Amino acid sequence: VPIVRYSTVNGISITELLSKEKIDAIVERTKFAGGEVVKLLKTGSAFFSPAAGAIQMAESYLKDKKRVVTCAAYLNGEYGVKDYYVGVPAIIGEGGVEKVLEIKLNEGEQALFDNSMEHVKGLIDNIKL
């Protein structure tokens, strides 16, 4: 779920720097980035982004950097979700995910998040069959 209003460049919201049309185009391109990487590579899979994320998380863990990273973290009531791993901002340090950051979502963002969670729950229910 893209949370555009929390996206910044040197502390300045991208909503102040880019037009709504440009932001919408970036969000759409991001949704399909994995497919774009596969298309460019011609073979294999979209490994670059997950690998870059894994390296960032490992470095934060190994060097106890306490870096805020969006990652799949186990939720225990945050965002109204319990007992699922969900992509959310979290602080990663020597203890792994040390804290899930529960940012305030507006009504539209919460609806997108809830819809995403329903999709995840449906996928998990299908795996259990």
Side-chain angles (χ1 to χ4, degrees), residues 115-129:
N115 184 51
S116 179
M117 273 310 306
E118 289 307 312
H119 182 70
V120 168
K121 289 176 183 179
L123 290 171
I124 290 171
D125 288 344
N126 284 334
I127 292 170
K128 290 180 180 178
L129 294 177

PDB file of all heavy atoms in Angstrom, residues 115-129:
ATOM      1  N   ASN A 115      -7.968  -3.893   2.505  1.00  0.00           N
ATOM      2  CA  ASN A 115      -8.195  -4.679   1.296  1.00  0.00           C
ATOM      3  C   ASN A 115      -7.003  -5.602   1.022  1.00  0.00           C
ATOM      4  O   ASN A 115      -7.181  -6.778   0.676  1.00  0.00           O
ATOM      5  CB  ASN A 115      -8.446  -3.753   0.101  1.00  0.00           C
ATOM      6  CG  ASN A 115      -8.779  -4.515  -1.152  1.00  0.00           C
ATOM      7  OD1 ASN A 115      -9.657  -5.370  -1.155  1.00  0.00           O
ATOM      8  ND2 ASN A 115      -8.083  -4.205  -2.229  1.00  0.00           N
ATOM      9  N   SER A 116      -5.803  -5.076   1.201  1.00  0.00           N
ATOM     10  CA  SER A 116      -4.599  -5.873   1.023  1.00  0.00           C
ATOM     11  C   SER A 116      -4.567  -7.033   2.020  1.00  0.00           C
ATOM     12  O   SER A 116      -4.226  -8.165   1.667  1.00  0.00           O
ATOM     13  CB  SER A 116      -3.359  -4.992   1.194  1.00  0.00           C
ATOM     14  OG  SER A 116      -2.187  -5.744   1.049  1.00  0.00           O
ATOM     15  N   MET A 117      -4.946  -6.750   3.271  1.00  0.00           N
ATOM     16  CA  MET A 117      -4.966  -7.801   4.296  1.00  0.00           C
ATOM     17  C   MET A 117      -5.977  -8.889   3.957  1.00  0.00           C
ATOM     18  O   MET A 117      -5.708 -10.081   4.159  1.00  0.00           O
ATOM     19  CB  MET A 117      -5.298  -7.208   5.675  1.00  0.00           C
ATOM     20  CG  MET A 117      -4.115  -6.703   6.431  1.00  0.00           C
ATOM     21  SD  MET A 117      -2.718  -7.845   6.573  1.00  0.00           S
ATOM     22  CE  MET A 117      -3.451  -9.308   7.248  1.00  0.00           C
ATOM     23  N   GLU A 118      -7.127  -8.506   3.448  1.00  0.00           N
ATOM     24  CA  GLU A 118      -8.133  -9.504   3.053  1.00  0.00           C
ATOM     25  C   GLU A 118      -7.579 -10.396   1.948  1.00  0.00           C
ATOM     26  O   GLU A 118      -7.812 -11.607   1.940  1.00  0.00           O
ATOM     27  CB  GLU A 118      -9.432  -8.825   2.622  1.00  0.00           C
ATOM     28  CG  GLU A 118     -10.200  -8.204   3.773  1.00  0.00           C
ATOM     29  CD  GLU A 118     -10.466  -9.180   4.923  1.00  0.00           C
ATOM     30  OE1 GLU A 118     -10.931 -10.317   4.658  1.00  0.00           O
ATOM     31  OE2 GLU A 118     -10.183  -8.824   6.081  1.00  0.00           O
ATOM     32  N   HIS A 119      -6.841  -9.806   1.023  1.00  0.00           N
ATOM     33  CA  HIS A 119      -6.217 -10.576  -0.058  1.00  0.00           C
ATOM     34  C   HIS A 119      -5.201 -11.562   0.521  1.00  0.00           C
ATOM     35  O   HIS A 119      -5.173 -12.737   0.139  1.00  0.00           O
ATOM     36  CB  HIS A 119      -5.560  -9.624  -1.053  1.00  0.00           C
ATOM     37  CG  HIS A 119      -4.937 -10.304  -2.219  1.00  0.00           C
ATOM     38  ND1 HIS A 119      -5.665 -10.925  -3.208  1.00  0.00           N
ATOM     39  CD2 HIS A 119      -3.637 -10.467  -2.554  1.00  0.00           C
ATOM     40  CE1 HIS A 119      -4.848 -11.446  -4.103  1.00  0.00           C
ATOM     41  NE2 HIS A 119      -3.610 -11.183  -3.726  1.00  0.00           N
ATOM     42  N   VAL A 120      -4.361 -11.094   1.439  1.00  0.00           N
ATOM     43  CA  VAL A 120      -3.360 -11.955   2.081  1.00  0.00           C
ATOM     44  C   VAL A 120      -4.049 -13.097   2.830  1.00  0.00           C
ATOM     45  O   VAL A 120      -3.657 -14.263   2.713  1.00  0.00           O
ATOM     46  CB  VAL A 120      -2.454 -11.139   3.034  1.00  0.00           C
ATOM     47  CG1 VAL A 120      -1.612 -12.047   3.913  1.00  0.00           C
ATOM     48  CG2 VAL A 120      -1.584 -10.182   2.242  1.00  0.00           C
ATOM     49  N   LYS A 121      -5.081 -12.768   3.589  1.00  0.00           N
ATOM     50  CA  LYS A 121      -5.804 -13.804   4.341  1.00  0.00           C
ATOM     51  C   LYS A 121      -6.400 -14.833   3.393  1.00  0.00           C
ATOM     52  O   LYS A 121      -6.380 -16.040   3.675  1.00  0.00           O
ATOM     53  CB  LYS A 121      -6.896 -13.166   5.208  1.00  0.00           C
ATOM     54  CG  LYS A 121      -6.338 -12.394   6.387  1.00  0.00           C
ATOM     55  CD  LYS A 121      -7.447 -11.692   7.162  1.00  0.00           C
ATOM     56  CE  LYS A 121      -6.887 -10.870   8.294  1.00  0.00           C
ATOM     57  NZ  LYS A 121      -7.933 -10.152   9.043  1.00  0.00           N
ATOM     58  N   GLY A 122      -6.937 -14.379   2.262  1.00  0.00           N
ATOM     59  CA  GLY A 122      -7.495 -15.298   1.271  1.00  0.00           C
ATOM     60  C   GLY A 122      -6.437 -16.222   0.702  1.00  0.00           C
ATOM     61  O   GLY A 122      -6.675 -17.426   0.528  1.00  0.00           O
ATOM     62  N   LEU A 123      -5.261 -15.683   0.408  1.00  0.00           N
ATOM     63  CA  LEU A 123      -4.164 -16.515  -0.101  1.00  0.00           C
ATOM     64  C   LEU A 123      -3.753 -17.562   0.920  1.00  0.00           C
ATOM     65  O   LEU A 123      -3.526 -18.726   0.592  1.00  0.00           O
ATOM     66  CB  LEU A 123      -2.963 -15.636  -0.470  1.00  0.00           C
ATOM     67  CG  LEU A 123      -3.110 -14.744  -1.691  1.00  0.00           C
ATOM     68  CD1 LEU A 123      -1.922 -13.789  -1.795  1.00  0.00           C
ATOM     69  CD2 LEU A 123      -3.249 -15.563  -2.956  1.00  0.00           C
ATOM     70  N   ILE A 124      -3.657 -17.135   2.173  1.00  0.00           N
ATOM     71  CA  ILE A 124      -3.264 -18.083   3.237  1.00  0.00           C
ATOM     72  C   ILE A 124      -4.332 -19.151   3.415  1.00  0.00           C
ATOM     73  O   ILE A 124      -4.010 -20.336   3.565  1.00  0.00           O
ATOM     74  CB  ILE A 124      -2.981 -17.325   4.546  1.00  0.00           C
ATOM     75  CG1 ILE A 124      -1.700 -16.504   4.385  1.00  0.00           C
ATOM     76  CG2 ILE A 124      -2.868 -18.294   5.736  1.00  0.00           C
ATOM     77  CD1 ILE A 124      -1.407 -15.551   5.496  1.00  0.00           C
ATOM     78  N   ASP A 125      -5.590 -18.773   3.381  1.00  0.00           N
ATOM     79  CA  ASP A 125      -6.681 -19.757   3.492  1.00  0.00           C
ATOM     80  C   ASP A 125      -6.608 -20.771   2.353  1.00  0.00           C
ATOM     81  O   ASP A 125      -6.830 -21.970   2.574  1.00  0.00           O
ATOM     82  CB  ASP A 125      -8.039 -19.056   3.490  1.00  0.00           C
ATOM     83  CG  ASP A 125      -8.304 -18.308   4.782  1.00  0.00           C
ATOM     84  OD1 ASP A 125      -7.587 -18.565   5.786  1.00  0.00           O
ATOM     85  OD2 ASP A 125      -9.222 -17.451   4.802  1.00  0.00           O
ATOM     86  N   ASN A 126      -6.270 -20.330   1.149  1.00  0.00           N
ATOM     87  CA  ASN A 126      -6.152 -21.251   0.015  1.00  0.00           C
ATOM     88  C   ASN A 126      -4.985 -22.200   0.180  1.00  0.00           C
ATOM     89  O   ASN A 126      -5.061 -23.361  -0.242  1.00  0.00           O
ATOM     90  CB  ASN A 126      -6.004 -20.472  -1.301  1.00  0.00           C
ATOM     91  CG  ASN A 126      -7.311 -19.877  -1.761  1.00  0.00           C
ATOM     92  OD1 ASN A 126      -8.383 -20.372  -1.436  1.00  0.00           O
ATOM     93  ND2 ASN A 126      -7.223 -18.808  -2.528  1.00  0.00           N
ATOM     94  N   ILE A 127      -3.902 -21.736   0.777  1.00  0.00           N
ATOM     95  CA  ILE A 127      -2.735 -22.600   1.018  1.00  0.00           C
ATOM     96  C   ILE A 127      -3.086 -23.673   2.043  1.00  0.00           C
ATOM     97  O   ILE A 127      -2.634 -24.814   1.920  1.00  0.00           O
ATOM     98  CB  ILE A 127      -1.535 -21.759   1.502  1.00  0.00           C
ATOM     99  CG1 ILE A 127      -1.030 -20.866   0.377  1.00  0.00           C
ATOM    100  CG2 ILE A 127      -0.425 -22.639   2.014  1.00  0.00           C
ATOM    101  CD1 ILE A 127      -0.012 -19.838   0.801  1.00  0.00           C
ATOM    102  N   LYS A 128      -3.893 -23.328   3.024  1.00  0.00           N
ATOM    103  CA  LYS A 128      -4.261 -24.273   4.088  1.00  0.00           C
ATOM    104  C   LYS A 128      -5.147 -25.393   3.588  1.00  0.00           C
ATOM    105  O   LYS A 128      -5.248 -26.425   4.221  1.00  0.00           O
ATOM    106  CB  LYS A 128      -4.956 -23.528   5.231  1.00  0.00           C
ATOM    107  CG  LYS A 128      -4.035 -22.635   6.017  1.00  0.00           C
ATOM    108  CD  LYS A 128      -4.804 -21.937   7.130  1.00  0.00           C
ATOM    109  CE  LYS A 128      -3.914 -21.030   7.927  1.00  0.00           C
ATOM    110  NZ  LYS A 128      -4.654 -20.318   8.981  1.00  0.00           N
ATOM    111  N   LEU A 129      -5.815 -25.203   2.449  1.00  0.00           N
ATOM    112  CA  LEU A 129      -6.736 -26.229   1.940  1.00  0.00           C
ATOM    113  C   LEU A 129      -6.051 -27.479   1.551  1.00  0.00           C
ATOM    114  O   LEU A 129      -5.180 -27.835   1.094  1.00  0.00           O
ATOM    115  CB  LEU A 129      -7.539 -25.678   0.754  1.00  0.00           C
ATOM    116  CG  LEU A 129      -8.502 -24.549   1.106  1.00  0.00           C
ATOM    117  CD1 LEU A 129      -9.179 -24.046  -0.159  1.00  0.00           C
ATOM    118  CD2 LEU A 129      -9.555 -25.019   2.096  1.00  0.00           C
TER     119      LEU A 129
END
